[in-house]
Amino acid sequence: MTDPARPPAPADRPGPGGRPPGEPPADTRLPRDRAWPWLLTLVLALAAGVLLAWRPWAPAPEPGAATPDATGSSSPTSTAEPSPTATSGAASGTDGFDAGSAPALFLTDAELAEAVPLAAGQSLADAPEAQWGLPERSTVDPSACTPAVTTTEREPDVFLRRFASDDAVTVIQSVLVLADDAAAQEAFDALVGTLEDCDAYQQTNPGTDGGAWTADPPTTDRGTVPTVVRTLTLTAEGATSPEVEVTALAGNALVTTTASGVDPAAEPADPGTLAGVARSSAERALAGLG
């Protein structure tokens, strides 16, 4: 789930799936005004390569390509517009999210500013080339922790991703729509179990830098809109990036929001606030289904 290269604009979290580039030891650390561009490059690199599974260099698969398995093989390249980037399928029932209604699950500008104050004034932008899963030949060790990066074990019916980024914080939000509420509940429960068991894991990406994560135990809220939130530390190229990540279960959809900071000594968002906004945002989108 940690839904490292992130945004499309900067290039391939190499997080979920490397991010901030190397930083010297504490006693020789560069002044912050010189160090942050290096750290930001790493954050963006990890975000695109790992969390975003950014693969602009990969050729489009042949029609009928197999669906990625739970080990994180690459997913089919989308030829759709900036909306669904995986296979689009209608959710069951009139109250379920589908490719057309799923964008309502993204944070509004006001919600983004409330959830991540460092991102105030920004807007989430479409990441049209982002794909669910891991880059080709990329692996997570231990493999059982793969859902910690991809959120679900199987490719969702609809996959959307947006991001916002500046020199202080990067926010990536992914929306995964499944066949129905039961399938989404099952995927959420499986994710919670994965996060409880995976307090440390790493990703290897051929040709690019990978990343390693250490995470605190997750906190789960089983309310009307269930959420699981955790704080992590991403390490890559000798540098560290603090992260806060929350996944909300909204009907037949899972919404994962990850805030990654450039300053290794500062938390990019308050976990409780981020989780609270994730729940209220999901409730807003659910109410809009009618």
Side-chain angles (χ1 to χ4, degrees):
M1 159 177 126
T2 61
D3 307 164
R6 299 196 176 181
D12 285 58
R13 185 178 213 207
R19 285 205 194 136
E23 178 181 20
D27 56 342
T28 61
R29 186 168 298 167
L30 296 172
R32 189 170 187 275
D33 60 345
R34 295 178 57 196
W36 76 255
W38 183 238
L39 289 173
L40 178 60
T41 301
L42 175 58
V43 173
L44 298 182
L46 284 174
V50 180
L51 290 184
L52 294 183
W54 217 269
R55 300 190 303 113
W57 60 87
E62 295 299 322
T67 298
D69 57 27
T71 59
S73 57
S74 60
S75 57
T77 299
S78 171
T79 56
E81 299 179 11
S83 304
T85 56
T87 305
S88 296
S92 65
T94 57
D95 294 332
F97 290 102
D98 58 19
S101 57
L105 288 161
F106 285 113
L107 296 174
T108 64
D109 290 357
E111 291 168 341
L112 176 62
E114 180 183 357
V116 186
L118 288 175
Q122 297 190 59
S123 299
L124 291 171
D126 284 326
E129 294 186 53
Q131 300 178 38
W132 174 87
L134 301 178
E136 188 174 1
R137 298 188 307 281
S138 178
T139 59
V140 173
D141 183 27
S143 60
C145 295
T146 299
V149 175
T150 61
T151 305
T152 56
E153 293 184 349
R154 300 287 179 179
E155 184 175 10
D157 291 354
V158 176
F159 177 76
L160 307 174
R161 176 161 278 159
R162 291 181 181 177
F163 73 96
S165 183
D166 62 12
D167 62 2
V169 67
T170 293
V171 180
I172 293 179
Q173 191 168 41
S174 302
V175 172
L176 301 85
V177 176
L178 287 82
D180 51 38
D181 291 10
Q185 180 69 64
E186 182 179 358
F188 179 82
D189 292 341
L191 175 63
V192 170
T194 297
L195 300 185
E196 289 175 342
D197 294 337
C198 294
D199 57 358
Y201 52 95
Q202 61 184 13
Q203 180 172 344
T204 301
N205 303 311
T208 62
D209 297 327
W213 292 264
T214 56
D216 292 330
T219 300
T220 304
D221 185 313
R222 296 283 182 175
T224 304
V225 173
T227 56
V228 56
V229 61
R230 60 180 180 152
T231 58
L232 313 87
T233 297
L234 167 66
T235 302
E237 292 293 335
T240 60
S241 174
E243 300 184 340
V244 179
E245 183 173 86
V246 59
T247 295
L249 171 61
N252 65 318
L254 296 181
V255 184
T256 295
T257 308
T258 305
S260 301
V262 171
D263 186 348
E267 195 169 63
D270 177 74
T273 300
L274 184 58
V277 175
R279 286 190 289 271
S280 61
S281 175
E283 290 171 351
R284 167 187 54 75
L286 286 165
L289 287 178

